[in-house]
Amino acid sequence: MSEVNGLADVIQLYNGTDAVSRKGMNDRFAAANEKFEAVDGKTKEIEDHVEGHAQQIAAHVADTTVHITGAERTAWNGKATITALNAVKATADAALPKAGGAMTGTLVAAGGADYTTARVRNIVCATDTNVTINDGDVLHVYK
């Protein structure tokens, strides 16, 4: 074997026929090392990216404002549905319209002797004063 810089040439058969010198092998190792370093750099980028997402996920899971507790969920699920609320509203609207319409039944106002508060009063109409009325009722006597 011949020597270069005091070291023996590294002779190998490459692909079965080509002889490769130490310099040729070192060049190939250097090129392979550059590729490994590039892959290693990309691996580090991916690890940093994954770690960033892991931190975001952990923060999201810990956020008690965007997530509800079991008790809150139970309370929420126990609320009336829109269908049930609309049915109650329809019944109320049909019973006594807020504007227009006609009352077809008897309306009895709450009694009471508080004459300083504006409220609906029961009006009792009679031909004499020999009728029973309650506190807060108004008596109208026909002549």
Side-chain angles (χ1 to χ4, degrees):
M1 283 191 193
S2 64
E3 290 189 18
V4 175
N5 295 328
L7 299 173
D9 280 340
V10 177
I11 306 293
Q12 290 184 340
L13 293 177
Y14 183 73
N15 287 335
T17 58
D18 297 334
V20 178
S21 69
R22 183 179 333 119
K23 180 179 179 335
M25 288 299 294
N26 286 339
D27 290 345
R28 284 187 174 86
F29 284 135
N33 193 40
E34 285 178 18
K35 289 180 182 177
F36 284 130
E37 286 175 0
V39 168
D40 205 30
K42 284 293 181 188
T43 301
K44 176 72 173 126
E45 283 180 37
I46 291 169
E47 287 172 349
D48 291 346
H49 190 73
V50 168
E51 178 61 27
H53 283 295
Q55 290 172 1
Q56 289 175 342
I57 290 168
H60 175 80
V61 169
D63 189 343
T64 58
T65 303
V66 298
H67 293 278
I68 62 172
T69 65
E72 290 170 325
R73 178 173 283 110
T74 298
W76 180 264
N77 290 342
K79 301 292 182 200
T81 65
I82 294 296
T83 303
L85 292 174
N86 284 336
V88 169
K89 181 183 180 303
T91 300
D93 287 347
L96 184 60
K98 292 182 180 135
M103 287 190 345
T104 58
T106 303
L107 175 65
V108 178
D114 180 6
Y115 300 107
T116 62
T117 303
R119 62 175 142 166
V120 174
R121 304 286 180 179
N122 292 316
I123 301 173
V124 178
C125 298
T127 56
D128 61 49
T129 58
N130 192 16
V131 293
T132 303
I133 63 171
N134 298 309
D135 282 347
D137 288 351
V138 176
L139 175 60
H140 175 75
V141 178
Y142 294 107
K143 289 191 178 188

